[in-house]
Structures are given as C-alpha cells and as structure tokens.
Amino acid sequence: MADENGIGRSESRLASMDSVESRWVFQDDDEDDSLMDDDDEDDSLMDDDDEEHSRLRRGGGLDSEEEDEEDTAEQRLIRTGPRIDSFDVEALEIPSAHRNDYFYEELGVGRRIILAFQTLGVVFGDVGTSPLYTFHVMFNKAPVNGEEDVIGALSLVLYTLILIPLVKYVLVVLWANDDGEGGTFALYSLICRHAKVNLLPNQLPSDARISSFRLKVPSAELERSLKIKERLETSPHLKRMLLMLVLAGTSMLIADGVVTPAMSVMSAVGGLKVGVASIKEEQVVMISVALLVILFSVQKFGTSKVGLAVGPALFIWFCSLAAIGVYNLVKYDSSVLRAFNPVHIYFFFKRNSTKGWRALGGCLLCATGSEAMFADLCYFSVRSVQLTFVFLVLPCLLLGYLGQAAYLMEHYSDDLAEHAFYSSVPSGFFWPVFLVANLAALIASRAMTTATFSCIKQSTALGCFPRLKIIHTSRKFMGQIYIPVINWFLLVVCLVLVCSISSITEIGNAYGIAELGVMMTTTILVTIVMLLIWQINIIIVLSFLVIFLGIELVFFSSVLGGVGDGSWIILVFAVVMFFVMLVWNYGSKLKYETEVKKKLSMDLVRELGPNLGTIRAPGIGLIYNELVKGIPAIFGHFLTTLPAIHSMIIFVCIKYVPVPVVPQGERFLFRRVCPKSYHIFRCIARYGYKDVRKENHQAFEQLLIESLEKFIRREAQERSLESDGDDDTDYDDDYSSTRVLIAPNGSVYSLGVPLLGEYKDTSKSISEASTSEEAKIGYPTDSASDAEQSLERELSFIHKAKESGVVYLLGHGDIRARKDSWFIKKLVINYFYAFLRKNCRRGTANLSVPHSHLMQVGMTYMV
C-alpha cells in the first residue's frame, strides 16, 4: 500500500502499565486530530515507571511512501489510543542484551587463567616482540657514537612505550570499544549509531530500539554534542570525509597484517647471524619464507586452540625478556636508568639532528602492536587486557629495553648495535632464547592477522568490503573467525615483501607507515567519540587530539622520508585495498539508491496479478531483497516472468545494523504490506556485525515462522484492544470486493484470493462463477466476537502453507552505467565493481538452501 514506504517521526520505548489503555504521541500543531485513528501515522511517547529517569529513544515504523525526512516542526503532546504500528510490534519486546564484560565476570578462576594465557597469545604478541628489532632499526639510521646516544635512544623508546601503548591505548582508546568490539570500523559503527552518518540509506528509526543500542540522549546543557551531531548528519561532505578516513585506516590495518609477519619473522630468524657466523642473508630469507608458510597454514585452527597453545610460550618469552634485562643491568651498567629523565631526548636530537629525526621511525616500532590490542579486543574483555598489559607486558618490555641499553653501554659498535637483542643474550642461553623468540614472532604475526580478519568482517557487515567466506572457529566465542581468501592473500603479499625487501630497516620503515596510518585514524575517531558520545570537557578532548596526533605526525614525517627505499610497496598495497573498499561502497550505495527509486507502488502490484493471470500456488515464497521499505522492482520482474507465485509471500531483508549483536528476540521485524487476503508480509532480519549467521535454512524458516505467528497474535491483540467494537482496521474490509478472474479449469487468477485453508469456503462461489470471466468474492469482516476465529484461521493458513513447502526467491540486481555517463563512472561501475560482484560470495552461499528450494531472477539497472 501507499503507506508502506516511509518512516515515522519519533517514538519512545515501551514503559508503564497505563500505556495499555492510552499513550502520548507527538503531533504537529497544524495536524488534524483524525490522525489519532491512523495507526500508520502514529508515533508514540511512553511514560516510564519512574518519571525522574525516563529517557526518550528515537524510533518509528514504516508509515508512508514519502522518503525519510527530519521533522522540524514544533510538536505538542496529545493523548490517543494504544495503537502501535504493526511493523514495530516485535521491536517493542526488549530482552537484556549480551555484553562481553558480563560474560567474563561469570568465569571461574580456572577459566580466567586460561583466558589470560590466550590474551598473551592473541593480543600482546605483536608489541611483545618489538625488542627484537627496535634498536636494530634505530641505530641503523642513527649510528651510536657514544654512551649518551644509547641513553637518548633508550629514553625515546621508554616514553614512546608509556605515551602510546599505555596512556593512549590502554587508558583511553580501549574504553571507546563498541560493546566489546575494537578496531577502526567498531569506532565508525559507534559513531553511526549516535549520528546518521552512514552513506547507505537503509537506516530505520526502529533500529534505535534494539536493546544493544543503549543510546545516551544528550542533556539540554550539552549543546555541543547536539550541534556536532546535527552538523555530521546534515553535511554530505563530512559524511564522505569520515568514510574516507575510516577506509584509509582500514587499508593501513590490512597492510599492517602483511608487514607484521614479515618484520617479526625476519628479525627473529636474523638472530642466526649472531649464533652461526656462516649464515648468509639469502638463507635467512628462505628460512623466513618457510616459517611464514607454516604460520598462515595453521591460522585455520582458530584463536582459541592456537592461542591456548602459544599463550604459555609467550609467557615464557616475556619472562625471558625481564630476566635478560635484569641480568644485563646487574652485569653491565645500571646507570641506564637515567633514561627515565626526558631531558636525554633533547640531548639526543641536539647531537644527531637529522639522523635523530630519521631514527624516530625506528623508535616507533617499540609501540607496534598497540592497534592490535584494540582490534583484537573482541576476543577478550577490556579489564583483562588492561591488567595484563600494566602488570606483566609493560614491566617486561621496559626491563628488556633497559637490559639491551645496559649491554650497549659497553658494546656500542655498529655490528653489535644492529643485533642488540641477540648480542645481549648470555651465551649459554642463546639457543633456548632463539627458539622462544622465533615462536613469539610467529605469535606476533598471528595477532595482527586475527585483527585483520576481525576488521574485514566488520567492514563487510557495514557495506564497505566484498562478501567473503567467513569461518567461525569457536562455538563459545562468536568473534573468533578465519577468512581463507584473506589469509592466503596476505601470505602471497607477505612473501613478495620478504623476497623483494630483505633489509630489516626497509621493512621496518614500511611497518611504521602502516602502523602510523592506523594510529592517526584511531586518534581522530576517538576524538569524535569523545565529543559526540562521551561528552567530556572540551579541554580534555583538545589535549588528547593535539598531544597524540602531534606525536604521530612527527613520527609519520620521519618514516615518509624513507619511502623511496622500498617501503613504497606497502603504500601501494594500502592504496589498492582502499580503492577496493571505496569502489564496493560506492557501487553498493548506487545500487541501493537505484532500487529505492525503482520500487513498485502497491496499486501497481495489486493490478499486476489479474492482468498477467498470475496463479497463487500453495506454499511460502521468501523473496530476498535489500530494501527495508517499499516493494522491490525485482518482484514485478518475478510476476512478469513466472506463471505462478506462492499463496504466502514474505519479503525478507537481511540487514546489518551498527551494533555488535542483535538479541535473538529482537531479530525480526514484521509488517503487512497488503490486505489480509493477500497474505503478503515484510520481514527485516537484523544482524549485528559480530552476529554469526550459521543457522541452516530449516532453522531459519522455523524461527521466521514462529516470529510471524507471534507478530500476528500481537497484531490481533492490539486491534481487539483498539477497536472497542468499532471495526476501524486498515485491511479487513479491503478484500470484501476483490476482483478475481476464473479460468475454465477453475484456477484463480488474483493476488487477493487466499488459497489453502480458505479454499473450501470459497470453492462453492468459485464453481458458481466459473462460467463467467469475472466474479466478485465476498469475505465476512471480522467482528470483535469473531476475532479469535479469524486469528486461528490465519494461523492455520500459515501452517498449511509451511507444510506445502518454502521456496527462496532470490533477486540479483546488477547495475550498469548509462551510455551518457562519464568515462570514469563507466570504468568503475562496468568493470571494477562488476568484477568485485562477480567474484565475491553470493547470498545463496550464506543460506545453505538446497537447489530444489531455490529460484533466482536477475535484473539490471542502468545508473
């Protein structure tokens, strides 16, 4: 119908008992009171039990055919009946949401110990192996000329460790998680949930009533947050800039997933040059290649299995760092503790000037892995990551760097400085430490790879990356995933990087570029979160932005100076990934907007059935499309192509909302899109970007039918409460004069005639009308006394339709650029986007539907 395709203005959460009898709604001053009788234009505002703690939530239903618009007119409160938009009935049932932190609080002591080992193996591997190469790269760019250079370099490393991993990430950024999810796209999702900045126009007000949204409505005095929100929502340029920033950060994170294994493994295997003098660089490269192949091959076994296996190994590694550091401090020179005085940083730059500035790129490597801590947060709780870092990881790292500096105070030749870590290991413990170091390097590589998997899954759910096969490796922790295509793609690029750039210094420079790109993106996004969501003092926000973005820009200027040495390869890779995501997002947005423009009116759909001679066959047809409102054009294509359509039609839209998890009880939203006799419904199945879609088609069908029955019962209950004996329903009378065509064989050609359960009741009238071309079929309207019988008839109809079978009707809409389009648009849409769609994972792969239950129809739109 015409009122199917719009969005209402505002509605709040369900609250007190008196809302059963009456409720308050917003109404424009110039609107007529007759609006109170129209449930498709209703927008409610419920009173909470405790008025002092009542909160408003934005919401609404699918109301009119007009497009979404913000209602800026002044509004007043009026009292009306308890009518609730049928589309949003399911959304009003809000169970408790699942949170990662609550889950971890329920764990026992034994499980906490196991979790701590997994945390070491997954989250801290990258930052834990930084002592292998930090001094190597620093002193290669700024050779040691005396003890003061060692103290100055050590002071730089110590304060970089304190400022970036500890202060920025552990104390601030980790708290900007999206319900336990970390990473660039988790921050973007958090911002999208509080401001309408997503470029894909499929947001619904009813999404805000998902319990995991938990929006904090800004109070009246915090006008700054409201102004920022309004500015972001009304400026298309700011929306695009924000998306470009997120895509740039994500591309750098994927590039980080390439360079981290190369850097960690190469630096660990490079210790052979210290233990075996005859080892050459080519042999180190070959051994590194073999280890990398093994590393990516075991990735499919999952985070839980591998994390638990390597967690104790990484614990031994951190203990070894601390033990070697203490040994060197005692044996060589404990005066390196002077490095905690930051004045030595000033002296270091005063003595080395340009070389000292170039050495900043190597100094940054001590903080690599900070972003992995945040991106891998989905596997563990914030508190467990914070405590493990503060009380184990950071002290061991500090002792490790202090020990290397103490050794270099007496052995600061260039050769020893390039292999500072392995040279500082006591000779009797070299090979055990070498073995543990290589194992730790493999663990570090896995940490960044799992972070890459997590980020790609988030970006896919938010429409910014092509769909790929995702394997969930744990039944207990839904966030632990493995993406085979990305895994092998990263391996190939990593091998190319290792074989083409064998220098640790050059790989370290590429490492710094990728890491800083992600860090700067995170700084800007967290600043927006502070302003928009946390709503803290502006001085604190500006201090965070100026201090950390300033530090990162200084580091970035240093690593950019070495781009010509070979690290340009990683920049090219990041640009390619950015282009892939940008093209996919642009094409998906253009395709969705075109489908919205081409959607069918309900009047046209009503006329198509009789005009085309469409037969309603027994069964349920699930028509999959991407529209959250309106009738997709692909449905008209079905009607004009197929000779029959099922007696019950459900338009199913799989929609990802910007939350990690949608509770199962709030998964489905239903609404009728036609009079009752048409048996046509709309269903929106909502998933969070962390949700697992592993149910088979039978389980999905059962859950969908149960939710539909629940919706119909709630709808009948609401109508019986509203009517009070006065039948004012939307659709009950609509089919009393439905026109049908009767074929000579008795087939009924009309969308409006119910089959199956109603066949016996109408068979007599059909046979009487079979001698003529047209007939009128009348149906008794439901009265208050017959409401229960009407409900049972409809539920019986659903059961019989289900028994007749469920068929999945998939519409594949492709887009092509018009002939008069610009050349660049033709190139992007007709070649690049078409190539990505052809090679990405189709929707049928996620459904696990037998081919006998599947029907596909394609349609091409010219854009």
Side-chain angles (χ1 to χ4, degrees):
M1 293 183 65
D3 61 356
E4 167 63 23
N5 306 318
I7 287 189
R9 285 179 299 278
S10 62
E11 181 172 348
S12 70
R13 55 193 301 186
L14 190 62
S16 58
M17 291 297 294
D18 58 356
S19 64
V20 175
E21 301 299 332
S22 61
R23 63 199 178 108
W24 291 98
V25 301
F26 283 124
Q27 186 192 32
D28 294 343
D29 289 336
D30 56 349
E31 286 184 350
D32 190 80
D33 289 342
S34 62
L35 182 64
M36 295 171 4
D37 294 330
D38 187 0
D39 73 324
D40 290 324
E41 292 292 328
D42 258 351
D43 301 301
S44 65
L45 175 60
M46 304 295 187
D47 294 329
D48 284 333
D49 292 331
D50 186 358
E51 294 182 358
E52 294 181 358
H53 296 86
S54 63
R55 296 184 303 170
L56 299 180
R57 288 198 179 205
R58 292 206 37 97
L62 299 184
D63 305 321
S64 62
E65 184 139 11
E66 289 87 3
E67 297 296 328
D68 245 347
E69 293 182 0
E70 291 292 333
D71 186 14
T72 57
E74 293 187 3
Q75 297 173 325
R76 58 188 176 89
L77 287 175
I78 62 172
R79 183 174 289 276
T80 183
R83 184 183 294 273
I84 298 175
D85 192 341
S86 59
F87 186 86
D88 290 323
V89 167
E90 291 299 313
L92 295 180
E93 296 185 355
I94 301 179
S96 59
H98 169 78
R99 282 185 62 87
N100 282 351
D101 288 347
Y102 298 162
F103 173 78
Y104 291 109
E105 290 175 2
E106 298 173 358
L107 297 177
V109 176
R111 187 60 186 164
R112 286 174 181 269
I113 295 174
I114 294 176
L115 189 62
F117 277 119
Q118 289 182 344
T119 306
L120 284 175
V122 175
V123 178
F124 299 112
D126 195 0
V127 69
T129 54
S130 60
L132 288 172
Y133 44 75
T134 299
F135 280 146
H136 182 159
V137 178
M138 284 189 72
F139 293 135
N140 186 278
K141 294 183 177 182
V144 181
N145 295 319
E147 295 181 356
E148 288 301 319
D149 285 341
V150 175
I151 297 294
L154 175 62
S155 186
L156 264 176
V157 169
L158 295 181
Y159 279 97
T160 301
L161 269 176
I162 293 172
L163 286 175
I164 295 181
L166 178 61
V167 177
K168 178 187 172 181
Y169 279 90
V170 173
L171 299 183
V172 179
V173 173
L174 289 185
W175 291 113
N177 66 87
D178 184 16
D179 196 21
E181 288 286 316
T184 305
F185 263 96
L187 289 172
Y188 182 61
S189 171
L190 193 63
I191 296 171
C192 288
R193 197 155 76 242
H194 289 77
K196 296 178 181 178
V197 296
N198 194 344
L199 293 179
L200 195 64
N202 66 344
Q203 300 91 358
L204 290 174
S206 56
D207 296 337
R209 290 194 295 277
I210 298 175
S211 56
S212 52
F213 256 72
R214 294 195 309 278
L215 292 181
K216 176 185 176 183
V217 178
S219 55
E221 65 271 17
L222 294 178
E223 297 181 0
R224 183 192 68 217
S225 297
L226 291 173
K227 290 179 180 179
I228 294 174
K229 180 177 182 294
E230 180 182 2
R231 181 62 176 164
L232 285 173
E233 292 180 345
T234 57
S235 175
H237 298 294
L238 287 180
K239 290 181 181 180
R240 294 191 189 96
M241 288 175 60
L242 182 61
L243 177 65
M244 300 278 278
L245 175 68
V246 172
L247 295 183
T250 305
S251 64
M252 285 295 185
L253 182 65
I254 299 174
D256 208 353
V258 170
V259 72
T260 297
M263 185 68 179
S264 300
V265 174
M266 281 284 291
S267 59
V269 177
L272 286 173
K273 294 181 179 179
V274 177
V276 182
S278 59
I279 291 290
K280 298 181 180 179
E281 186 67 28
E282 292 79 8
Q283 294 171 314
V284 171
V285 172
M286 294 304 298
I287 295 174
S288 300
V289 168
L291 288 178
L292 288 172
V293 172
I294 295 173
L295 166 69
F296 284 94
S297 298
V298 301
Q299 193 77 38
K300 61 183 179 181
F301 294 108
T303 302
S304 294
K305 302 180 184 66
V306 180
L308 184 59
V310 302
L314 203 62
F315 178 75
I316 295 174
W317 165 251
F318 281 114
C319 292
S320 300
L321 279 180
I324 294 172
V326 172
Y327 170 82
N328 288 328
L329 281 172
V330 173
K331 182 177 181 180
Y332 296 108
D333 193 347
S334 61
S335 65
V336 294
L337 294 174
R338 292 181 294 143
F340 282 102
N341 186 349
V343 72
H344 292 285
I345 298 176
Y346 168 75
F347 293 141
F348 177 79
F349 284 112
K350 185 178 180 180
R351 284 190 304 272
N352 294 279
S353 61
T354 304
K355 292 182 179 179
W357 170 73
R358 293 186 59 198
L360 281 175
C363 176
L364 173 73
L365 298 181
C366 71
T368 55
S370 301
E371 191 64 34
M373 281 194 298
F374 185 46
D376 284 328
L377 187 61
C378 58
Y379 301 99
F380 309 100
S381 67
V382 175
R383 188 66 66 186
S384 65
V385 173
Q386 289 177 325
L387 293 178
T388 305
F389 183 84
V390 172
F391 292 104
L392 176 62
V393 176
L394 183 61
C396 292
L397 287 175
L398 294 178
L399 286 173
Y401 283 113
L402 288 169
Q404 290 185 50
Y407 175 82
L408 291 175
M409 292 289 283
E410 294 187 9
H411 311 83
Y412 51 80
S413 65
D414 291 342
D415 292 338
L416 293 178
E418 287 186 1
H419 301 283
F421 174 76
Y422 283 113
S423 299
S424 65
V425 176
S427 57
F429 295 94
F430 177 84
W431 291 111
V433 172
F434 174 80
L435 180 63
V436 175
N438 278 268
L439 190 56
L442 295 176
I443 298 169
S445 304
R446 290 199 72 262
M448 205 61 234
T449 306
T450 53
T452 304
F453 291 159
S454 178
C455 189
I456 289 178
K457 183 179 185 297
Q458 294 171 6
S459 60
T460 301
L462 294 177
C464 296
F465 203 91
R467 293 183 298 271
L468 301 172
K469 181 180 181 181
I470 297 176
I471 298 175
H472 296 267
T473 59
S474 175
R475 295 181 179 179
K476 295 181 180 179
F477 303 99
M478 68 177 69
Q480 299 183 5
I481 60 174
Y482 167 69
I483 306 178
V485 174
I486 296 298
N487 183 69
W488 300 118
F489 179 65
L490 293 179
L491 172 61
V492 171
V493 179
C494 186
L495 294 181
V496 171
L497 183 67
V498 169
C499 295
S500 59
I501 306 177
S502 57
S503 170
I504 294 295
T505 303
E506 294 179 5
I507 296 178
N509 201 69
Y511 199 2
I513 292 174
E515 193 76 18
L516 280 168
V518 185
M519 286 182 177
M520 290 188 292
T521 303
T522 299
T523 301
I524 297 173
L525 293 178
V526 171
T527 302
I528 298 176
V529 170
M530 288 179 171
L531 291 171
L532 182 64
I533 303 171
W534 291 356
Q535 301 169 4
I536 59 179
N537 192 287
I538 189 66
I539 297 178
I540 299 177
V541 176
L542 291 178
S543 299
F544 174 84
L545 178 65
V546 171
I547 293 174
F548 290 106
L549 188 60
I551 292 174
E552 288 156 2
L553 285 174
V554 172
F555 279 118
F556 195 63
S557 66
S558 174
V559 295
L560 281 181
V563 170
D565 296 335
S567 54
W568 57 269
I569 295 178
I570 209 65
L571 274 180
V572 172
F573 174 77
V575 169
V576 170
M577 297 309 301
F578 175 82
F579 180 74
V580 168
M581 291 186 288
L582 187 63
V583 168
W584 182 262
N585 181 265
Y586 173 71
S588 300
K589 176 177 175 291
L590 201 60
K591 176 176 174 291
Y592 188 88
E593 291 175 343
T594 304
E595 290 182 341
V596 170
K597 294 177 182 178
K598 300 290 185 180
K599 64 185 179 183
L600 304 179
S601 67
M602 202 61 241
D603 292 336
L604 177 62
V605 174
R606 288 178 179 178
E607 296 175 0
L608 276 178
N611 294 339
L612 298 174
T614 303
I615 300 176
R616 299 298 294 268
I620 299 177
L622 301 182
I623 300 181
Y624 277 76
N625 66 99
E626 297 180 2
L627 291 183
V628 296
K629 54 184 178 179
I631 306 299
I634 200 74
F635 182 61
H637 198 45
F638 272 121
L639 293 180
T640 56
T641 305
L642 306 177
I645 199 165
H646 297 84
S647 56
M648 176 174 286
I649 296 297
I650 303 177
F651 294 102
V652 180
C653 172
I654 303 295
K655 176 186 175 183
Y656 284 93
V657 291
V659 296
V661 177
V662 175
Q664 192 79 335
E666 304 172 39
R667 177 82 65 211
F668 296 104
L669 290 177
F670 281 94
R671 181 187 173 91
R672 294 186 190 273
V673 296
C674 286
K676 269 189 178 181
S677 60
Y678 282 61
H679 298 292
I680 299 180
F681 299 87
R682 170 179 306 287
C683 170
I684 297 181
R686 302 180 296 185
Y687 290 84
Y689 56 79
K690 190 179 176 182
D691 275 324
V692 181
R693 290 183 54 196
K694 295 180 66 175
E695 66 267 7
N696 55 38
H697 71 100
Q698 294 177 342
F700 181 82
E701 292 170 9
Q702 184 66 26
L703 185 60
L704 185 142
I705 296 301
E706 290 177 358
S707 300
L708 177 59
E709 292 177 358
K710 186 178 179 182
F711 160 76
I712 292 174
R713 293 181 187 276
R714 287 288 302 274
E715 181 191 49
Q717 180 183 8
E718 292 294 336
R719 290 182 181 277
S720 65
L721 291 174
E722 296 167 13
S723 60
D724 291 330
D726 182 16
D727 191 4
D728 62 348
T729 56
D730 294 332
Y731 304 130
D732 292 0
D733 294 331
D734 290 349
Y735 57 78
S736 59
S737 60
T738 301
R739 297 180 61 84
V740 297
L741 295 177
I742 310 299
N745 61 358
S747 298
V748 183
Y749 291 86
S750 175
L751 289 174
V753 177
L755 304 180
L756 294 178
E758 308 265 10
Y759 242 7
K760 294 181 180 179
D761 298 335
T762 60
S763 59
K764 183 177 180 180
S765 60
I766 292 175
S767 62
E768 292 175 354
S770 61
T771 57
S772 62
E773 285 187 349
E774 295 187 358
K776 296 271 187 171
I777 292 184
Y779 298 91
T781 57
D782 295 336
S783 62
S785 59
D786 295 333
E788 185 175 351
Q789 296 180 7
S790 175
L791 173 63
E792 294 302 323
R793 284 198 301 269
E794 188 166 14
L795 294 178
S796 176
F797 181 89
I798 295 175
H799 293 157
K800 292 181 180 179
K802 175 68 167 62
E803 293 173 0
S804 299
V806 178
V807 175
Y808 291 75
L809 309 174
L810 302 183
H812 294 296
D814 292 323
I815 57 175
R816 300 281 295 177
R818 291 193 296 265
K819 292 183 178 180
D820 58 346
S821 301
W822 290 0
F823 171 76
I824 296 179
K825 183 177 181 180
K826 290 181 181 179
L827 185 66
V828 170
I829 297 298
N830 296 346
Y831 295 97
F832 295 140
Y833 181 71
F835 174 80
L836 293 176
R837 277 189 62 85
K838 182 179 179 180
N839 292 277
C840 75
R841 188 174 175 85
R842 290 281 184 175
T844 55
N846 293 326
L847 297 176
S848 302
V849 180
H851 291 290
S852 58
H853 293 188
L854 191 63
M855 186 179 300
Q856 302 184 58
V857 173
M859 191 171 183
T860 301
Y861 302 103
M862 302 304 294
V863 297

